[in-house]
């Protein structure tokens, strides 16, 4: 039984969105819909144009015998801009201030639609980079890491602060937290990452960068390398930043606990992209 | 400028998939595509039929002035069955055995495509239930909780084992872990949940159910109520199960460390649904 074009377009859209960064041979769709290759090609042209026009993503066509089509998430700047502005406004609320100048961000990170959008922005920035794994440290970075990883079609590796029996044998490192200058420990299961992996590090918050730096030391232990660093919020006014190149969506420039004032602005997302 | 039907179908499919369980007024699409209401209605009929036929989900139409359309994820049994079978085969591998009869599951939980599918199955089971929040306990349940919550369009609440300054003031409870019979602590930020919330509890693994039971006690503190319990893997042969009603995808019936044998079968997903 043949499929009508309208059905094919709906099902292909869903299929492509569910399989980002995977090369799908044209023959896969030919078999799926019992349709001619020329019809499938026309479908893909319509989808490609609509995805680009509506800011859904981009579709790359690979020609030749091993060819096919690949969907990448690609957020347009005019879509990213208002989202980051909304985030800034949300974060600037004085009720977020906690003792010690920390910010309560749990409500923002508990909203799956915000988390998904942040993931889409990060994945957009690294869509064409060579990335094997997304790494984060428990707990708050985890949802962001999965949101990025599902768009990049790679696994997530979670570094822990403590050792658990369910991790099997582990590698443990000590590192210096940047802001508090305390020695801390990080643990990662030995089975969790292959040697030589290219790793995108993701976290919710970066002050001096001690935690991110700890993850970089952990990568050394696994002979893996940093392919990128992406944080939701970075804090400015840091005497000595331990990490050079990174991507941030939001930048805290001034947190005054006494005056209950939080100054928030865009991160470097638009200058880095 | 008008949109062609093919463009509308592609963009509407993406929009609906990104906004599960949200009532979208027909007028929203009328404005978005500068198209007549009758054309939008026809589009939605085509999408509804295709979503059902292809097992993507279901589309509910709400009539009247405040009417519109709502997308729910709905996984068909013939799609769920082979996925759960694959999971069982994956989990049955003897290399997963850790000292004490624990299982290494980190690799399974690090795969975003598996996590998404588990989330779709859970969300499918509770798609029409009244749920305000998905709750889990750090760390391993977190990705599953977000995968469900993003399909149910509700926030995630993460209970922690330790207190952190970035949580603000917290409520702490002690509970008895079922299998090890040890007193343990759980902590939840006071701001994280409203009184009377209806909560879906999600976790990766359930033995006697001590942790899930701990979360239920935590709900009492917030005057919230259990709307459902969903676990990826449950362990059989438990003398005394602390939790009655729950949903599971996989059931471990026999773990023999000496013989390196793991017996794995389907959970109660198909009998509960």
């Amino acid at each position: 039984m043949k499929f009508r074009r309208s059905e094919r377009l709906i099902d292909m859209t869903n299929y492509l969105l569910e399989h980002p960064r995977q090369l799908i041979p044209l023959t896969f769709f030919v078999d799926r819909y019992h349709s001619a290759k020329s019809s499938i090609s026309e479908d893909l042209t319509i989808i490609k144009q609509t995805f680009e026009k509506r800011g859904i993503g981009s579709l790359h066509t690979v020609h030749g015998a091993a060819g096919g089509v690949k969907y990448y998430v690609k957020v347009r700047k005019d879509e990213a801009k208002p989202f980051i502005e909304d985030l800034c406004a949300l974060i600037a609320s004085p009720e977020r201030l906690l003792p010690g100048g920390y910010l309560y961000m749990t409500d923002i990170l508990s909203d799956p639609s915000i988390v998904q959008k942040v993931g889409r922005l990060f994945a957009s920035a690294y869509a064409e980079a060579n990335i094997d794994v997304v790494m984060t440290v428990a707990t708050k970075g985890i949802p962001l890491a999965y949101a990025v990883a599902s768009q990049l079609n790679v696994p997530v590796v979670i570094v822990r602060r403590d050792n658990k029996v369910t991790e099997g044998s582990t590698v443990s490192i000590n590192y210096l937290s940047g802001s508090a200058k305390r020695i801390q420990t990080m643990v990662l299961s030995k089975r969790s990452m292959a040697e030589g992996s290219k790793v995108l590090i993701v976290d919710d918050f970066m002050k001096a960068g001690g935690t991110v730096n700890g993850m970089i030391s952990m990568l050394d232990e696994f002979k893996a390398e940093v392919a990128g660093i992406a944080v939701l919020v970075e804090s400015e006014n840091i005497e000595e930043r331990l990490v050079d190149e990174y991507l941030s969506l939001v930048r805290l420039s001034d947190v005054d606990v006494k005056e209950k004032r939080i100054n928030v602005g865009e991160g470097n997302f638009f200058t880095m992209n």
Side-chain angles (χ1 to χ4, degrees), chain A residues 132-192:
Chain A
D132 303 311
V133 167
V134 172
M135 178 186 261
T136 191
V137 68
T139 312
K140 292 208 193 299
I142 297 176
L144 297 176
Y146 275 85
V148 184
S150 68
Q151 293 292 345
L152 293 180
N153 183 35
V154 296
V156 176
V157 158
I158 301 170
V159 178
R160 304 177 62 107
R161 312 269 185 188
D162 55 342
N163 215 329
K164 264 204 106 177
V165 58
T166 48
E167 292 294 322
S169 45
T170 54
V171 174
S172 160
I173 63 149
N174 294 314
Y175 70 100
L176 200 62
S177 82
S179 37
K181 301 270 184 214
R182 262 192 331 210
I183 297 279
Q184 300 200 295
T185 304
M186 267 185 194
V187 174
L188 183 58
S189 168
K190 268 193 179 170
R191 306 192 198 182
S192 64

Side-chain angles (χ1 to χ4, degrees), chain A residues 99-114:
Chain A
Y102 288 94
L103 286 191
Y104 183 81
M105 301 230 300
T106 306
D107 57 328
I108 296 174
L109 294 170
S110 357
D111 183 333
S113 73
I114 295 181

Side-chain angles (χ1 to χ4, degrees), chain A residues 173-175 211-222:
Chain A
I173 63 149
N174 294 314
Y175 70 100
T211 309
V212 167
N213 224 23
M215 285 192 261
I216 295 173
S217 311
M218 184 62 91
L219 292 186
D220 287 342
E221 296 294 324
F222 283 81

